[in-house]
Amino acid sequence: MFGVVNKPYTLRGNMTDEKLRVVLIGCGRMGQEYAKFYSLLDTTEIVAIAEYNDERRKVVGERFGVRALYKDAAEMYQRLDEIPDLAVVVLPGKFIKDAVIASAQAGVRGVSTDKPIGARLADVDEMIDVCEERNVVFHGGNLQRARADVQEAASWLRRGDFGTVQGATVHAWGGEISGGGCQHIAVLRLLAQAEITEVIAWGKPREALEADEDTGLIINGRFTMSTGIEVPVFGEDTPCRGVDVWTEDSLLRWDWDDVMDIYKGFDGNGVRVKFDRAFTPCAWPQYGYLASSILSFISAVEHGTEMAISGHDLRQSLEAAIAAKYSALWGSISLSLPLEDRSLTLYPRPYRWLGGDHAAF
Ligand SMILES: NC(=O)c1ccc[n+]([C@@H]2O[C@H](COP(=O)([O-])OP(=O)(O)OC[C@H]3O[C@@H](n4cnc5c(N)ncnc54)[C@H](O)[C@@H]3O)[C@@H](O)[C@H]2O)c1
């Protein structure tokens, strides 16, 4: 998969010269970032935009040379003559489910979304089920898990270059466990090569724990992984802010910095030694992990390869956040995943749920 992530837009090979037809649903702050990259690739063409805001729809349409402009996904699919290949949903959380399901039902080959994927587990299950039933590739969006260095480090780990994963930690998970916190869980599951099977947590302050949304909620706790390792979860910054995974002699650290730190072996004093193997350079460094994420999505649609981040990954992140919140709220009880009660819900902060036009960033 990593080789694909770094290929500069020759993903369709000799299969066809036709471009993939892309529709963008939501062209606010983040949607325009997606539009920039899709309009740069010579394998994709943005053929339509669905956007609530009249002024923004017009301006962004002009900017990217898109003339087919609609109010929302329902109107777009009713009026488009040809079903697009890819639907790129970049909406506030409240509106994601309807757009994803409308796209899958319309017959697109792939639909992408972003974090957090929703608030209620049953809603997210429904999106994943509808996509699965219709063989629609469901992509997860602009997450650090898609970073080329994170993916390459994970491939080295899977190949056995560092031995078996023996432990992991999560740092600075708090503040927004359903939003920014998605990043940690997605990276943890990738590097630990395991699912979270049990969560126990403590939350503060009490007002944030009792609120419907997670703004300012600090969670400390412990995850048990399907491989049996126990993962301490620190809500606030330690010297680290991300995920550490270690084996007998190595440590791999994703810390939101530009490049992952890897240590292998020890010096004469028993101190870890920096591992000096270079990561493969990215083809599109100026677009960061949005580029590698989108390229892995296109490759999954075209060639059936594994995505760097999927809708399933976003659900697992949300589920861990929900489990942690309710474990803490109900007296730090141990909760098994998958959660039985799919009606459990955790709203993100208002900007993520309703969008920037309706809530302050
Ligand atoms: N992965 C990341 O790093 C990252 C960063 C920022 C935002 N996000 C996520 O991206 C999503 C969008 O964020 P944003 O910053 O672009 O928000 P935004 O408010 O700037 O843009 C959202 C746009 O969607 C439009 N819209 C809302 N409901 C609609 C509907 N039903 N149909 C058509 N258009 C609709 C709004 O008019 C607005 O233009 C959110 O889910 C957010 O959490 C992710």
Side-chain angles (χ1 to χ4, degrees):
M1 179 174 60
F2 185 74
V4 168
V5 164
N6 275 291
K7 265 192 208 159
Y9 66 90
T10 51
L11 293 165
R12 305 202 82 189
N14 295 325
M15 285 170 63
T16 167
D17 290 335
E18 272 180 36
K19 293 186 178 205
L20 288 170
R21 294 159 49 83
V22 178
V23 293
L24 179 64
I25 305 176
C27 64
R29 193 169 67 121
M30 199 63 208
Q32 290 173 51
E33 295 301 313
Y34 279 79
K36 275 196 247 169
F37 194 67
Y38 277 107
S39 55
L40 181 86
L41 294 175
D42 73 355
T43 53
T44 54
E45 179 185 9
I46 304 176
V47 295
I49 294 175
E51 162 61 52
Y52 266 180
N53 183 300
D54 296 337
E55 181 61 19
R56 190 170 303 130
R57 182 171 62 240
K58 185 167 165 283
V59 169
V60 177
E62 277 166 13
R63 178 178 174 198
F64 292 100
V66 180
R67 288 209 296 271
L69 304 174
Y70 306 98
K71 187 100 186 151
D72 59 21
E75 190 203 345
M76 181 177 69
Y77 289 122
Q78 216 168 34
R79 292 185 40 199
L80 273 182
D81 290 335
E82 209 180 321
I83 299 304
D85 297 294
L86 309 182
V88 177
V89 175
V90 200
L91 294 177
K94 183 176 179 186
F95 309 100
I96 291 175
K97 177 183 157 191
D98 285 352
V100 166
I101 291 180
S103 300
Q105 288 176 338
V108 301
R109 296 166 64 194
V111 56
S112 88
T113 186
D114 214 298
K115 73 175 172 65
I117 188 172
R120 189 169 162 263
L121 281 173
D123 290 336
V124 182
D125 291 343
E126 200 180 328
M127 286 183 244
I128 289 176
D129 291 349
V130 170
C131 287
E132 269 174 18
E133 279 158 20
R134 291 169 186 259
N135 274 330
V136 175
V137 174
F138 192 11
H139 173 237
N142 182 42
L143 270 88
Q144 298 229 359
R145 175 178 163 127
R147 269 173 37 174
D149 60 326
V150 173
Q151 288 288 320
E152 192 166 29
S155 74
W156 292 340
L157 254 174
R158 273 198 302 272
R159 201 168 63 189
D161 292 10
F162 303 105
T164 307
V165 174
Q166 294 184 344
T169 44
V170 172
H171 304 258
W173 192 45
E176 199 195 6
I177 57 175
S178 74
C182 270
Q183 306 272 16
H184 294 76
I185 306 306
V187 172
L188 170 70
R189 292 174 44 254
L190 175 74
L191 296 180
Q193 302 160 61
E195 291 293 348
I196 300 170
T197 55
E198 205 175 305
V199 170
I200 183 162
W202 291 260
K204 67 176 186 180
R206 193 71 206 170
E207 312 83 79
L209 187 57
E210 286 172 353
D212 289 339
E213 46 134 319
D214 63 357
T215 311
L217 174 59
I218 304 297
I219 290 282
N220 294 288
R222 190 195 67 194
F223 298 152
T224 306
M225 307 298 291
S226 51
T227 46
I229 64 170
E230 305 281 6
V231 178
V233 177
F234 302 101
E236 287 159 310
D237 281 17
T238 65
C240 306
R241 295 170 300 151
V243 172
D244 278 4
V245 165
W246 59 89
T247 63
E248 190 175 358
D249 72 346
S250 303
L251 183 136
L252 291 85
R253 172 166 293 157
W254 163 75
D255 207 12
W256 297 82
D257 291 335
D258 288 345
V259 181
M260 278 187 69
D261 286 326
I262 303 185
Y263 301 85
K264 188 169 167 56
F266 306 91
D267 66 16
N269 298 317
V271 177
R272 290 192 189 279
V273 175
K274 211 72 186 268
F275 182 62
D276 65 2
R277 189 190 306 170
F279 290 104
T280 310
C282 297
W284 303 95
Q286 66 277 40
Y287 290 93
Y289 46 94
L290 182 58
S292 45
S293 189
I294 288 174
L295 291 176
S296 88
F297 173 42
I298 294 173
S299 176
V301 170
E302 292 282 72
H303 307 296
T305 47
E306 196 186 325
M307 275 177 291
I309 175 87
S310 65
H312 168 79
D313 293 320
L314 291 185
R315 173 178 55 189
Q316 301 309 92
S317 286
L318 178 68
E319 190 155 353
I322 288 179
K325 183 226 160 87
Y326 283 94
S327 165
L329 184 66
W330 293 337
S332 301
I333 57 168
S334 183
L335 290 176
S336 294
L337 269 58
L339 290 165
E340 243 173 68
D341 183 353
R342 309 306 285 178
S343 71
L344 291 176
T345 302
L346 176 60
Y347 292 97
R349 64 190 156 106
Y351 142 67
R352 289 195 189 281
W353 187 242
L354 299 172
D357 290 345
H358 305 283
F361 285 81

